[in-house]
């Protein structure tokens, strides 16, 4: 009986270690800008040059990778008219500048790099068309720009702010007690499969003109 109890305890300990490792690995695989999103976007008429159905985000990214004009893609999880993959030839920062709403998580060092992402980098892995599930703790705060809204969330973190929402048109900011959301559209760079942009340690040095390895964040990928 004693041996069974000891073995049972050891099994629970090993299981706990495995679960901790699993959750740590999952966190490490999350993109640095995964919690940032845009809404209410009016894109340039000629920005999107190709749209078709692929059935998966990975296939959509692969099509973007082989198309010379493609700078980023948008994959629709619930597509309309059976078209889930959209390829764009304008920079993602230009696309985002045509969106009325921007959202993001509490950031201890604003402004976040995700608000002005490098092209063809992990920072483009953001979202669109999101429903926010958190409770609004402050609404319609005057905010002339997105950086101010982000800073307001940090100022109000003691009141429970964990997520913010900024409107370009109204110049206002809403603060939420949770970053929980559901998004229909996922963006990604032309290089690097979905999930490759994990938060990993950067290499100590790179040579001029070298190509960053997939999965290394903060380093712009090159074709």
């Amino acid at each position: 009986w004693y041996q069974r109890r000891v073995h049972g305890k050891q099994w629970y300990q090993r299981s706990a270690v495995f679960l901790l490792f699993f959750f740590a690995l999952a966190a490490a695989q999350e993109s640095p800008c995964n919690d940032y999103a845009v809404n209410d976007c009016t894109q340039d008429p000629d920005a999107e040059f190709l749209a078709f159905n692929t059935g998966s985000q990975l296939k959509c990214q692969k099509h973007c990778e082989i198309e010379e004009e493609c700078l980023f893609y948008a994959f629709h999880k619930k597509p309309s008219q059976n078209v889930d993959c959209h390829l764009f030839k304008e920079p993602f920062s230009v696309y985002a500048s045509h969106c009325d709403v921007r959202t993001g998580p509490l950031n201890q060092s604003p402004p976040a790099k995700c608000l002005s992402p490098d092209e063809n980098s992990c920072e483009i892995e953001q979202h669109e068309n999101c429903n926010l599930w958190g409770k609004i703790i402050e609404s319609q705060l005057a905010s002339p720009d997105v950086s101010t809204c982000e800073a307001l969330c940090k100022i109000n973190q003691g009141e429970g702010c964990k997520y913010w929402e900024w409107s370009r048109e109204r110049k206002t900011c809403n603060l939420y007690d949770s970053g929980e959301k559901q998004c229909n559209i996922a963006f990604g760079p032309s290089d690097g499969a979905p999930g490759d942009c994990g938060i990993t340690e950067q290499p100590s040095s790179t040579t001029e003109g070298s190509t960053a390895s997939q999965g290394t964040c903060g380093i712009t990928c090159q074709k």
Side-chain angles (χ1 to χ4, degrees):
W1 175 84
Y2 176 76
Q3 289 180 338
R4 286 199 302 269
R5 184 177 180 183
V6 170
H7 289 318
K9 183 177 180 180
Q10 290 175 343
W11 183 86
Y12 280 117
Q13 289 175 338
R14 287 196 295 267
S15 298
V17 171
F18 174 79
L19 287 173
L20 287 173
F21 174 79
F22 175 81
F23 287 121
L25 182 62
Q29 292 301 315
E30 187 173 281
S31 283
C33 299
N34 185 63
D35 285 333
Y36 289 81
V38 294
N39 278 333
D40 299 338
C41 302
T42 54
Q43 65 190 52
D44 290 328
D46 299 326
E48 182 179 326
F49 70 93
L50 197 57
F52 47 92
N53 192 62
T54 59
S56 74
Q57 186 177 347
L58 176 59
K59 290 181 180 179
C60 185
Q61 180 273 319
K62 290 300 181 184
H63 279 285
C64 184
E65 188 173 18
I66 63 177
E67 291 287 343
E68 187 174 352
E69 286 186 294
C70 188
L71 297 183
F72 74 94
Y73 69 86
F75 179 74
H76 293 232
K77 301 172 184 177
K78 295 181 179 179
S80 60
Q81 300 179 346
N82 202 34
V83 176
D84 61 12
C85 183
H86 302 256
L87 307 185
F88 294 84
K89 61 182 179 181
E90 74 175 4
F92 178 75
S93 57
V94 175
Y95 179 93
S97 69
H98 295 297
C99 301
D100 176 40
V101 176
R102 300 202 70 166
T103 67
L106 169 66
N107 177 26
Q108 298 297 340
S109 302
K113 187 68 177 67
C114 300
L115 300 177
S116 54
D118 291 331
E119 297 307 318
N120 199 20
S121 74
C122 296
E123 296 160 356
I124 293 177
E125 286 201 346
Q126 302 187 29
H127 295 88
E128 185 183 347
N129 193 12
C130 301
N131 292 319
L132 305 183
W133 302 127
K135 177 183 177 182
I136 295 179
I137 58 176
E138 292 285 351
S139 65
Q140 306 299 311
L141 299 176
S143 182
D145 52 50
V146 64
S147 298
T148 300
C149 185
E150 184 184 38
L152 285 171
C153 185
K154 180 184 177 183
I155 293 171
N156 288 275
Q157 62 180 314
E159 305 300 321
C161 183
K162 294 182 180 178
Y163 205 77
W164 52 264
E165 177 185 44
W166 178 71
S167 169
R168 186 188 308 274
E169 181 179 344
R170 294 187 295 271
K171 305 295 183 186
T172 58
C173 179
N174 294 332
L175 306 182
Y176 291 79
D177 67 351
S178 170
E180 290 186 45
K181 61 188 180 300
Q182 185 175 30
C183 305
N184 180 42
I185 301 173
F187 297 110
S190 60
D191 292 344
D196 281 352
C197 287
I199 301 174
T200 57
E201 184 178 350
Q202 295 187 22
S204 57
S205 64
T206 55
T207 57
E208 183 69 25
S210 64
T211 301
S213 60
Q214 294 183 357
T216 304
C217 293
I219 299 177
T220 302
C221 306
Q222 299 175 356
K223 287 188 175 182

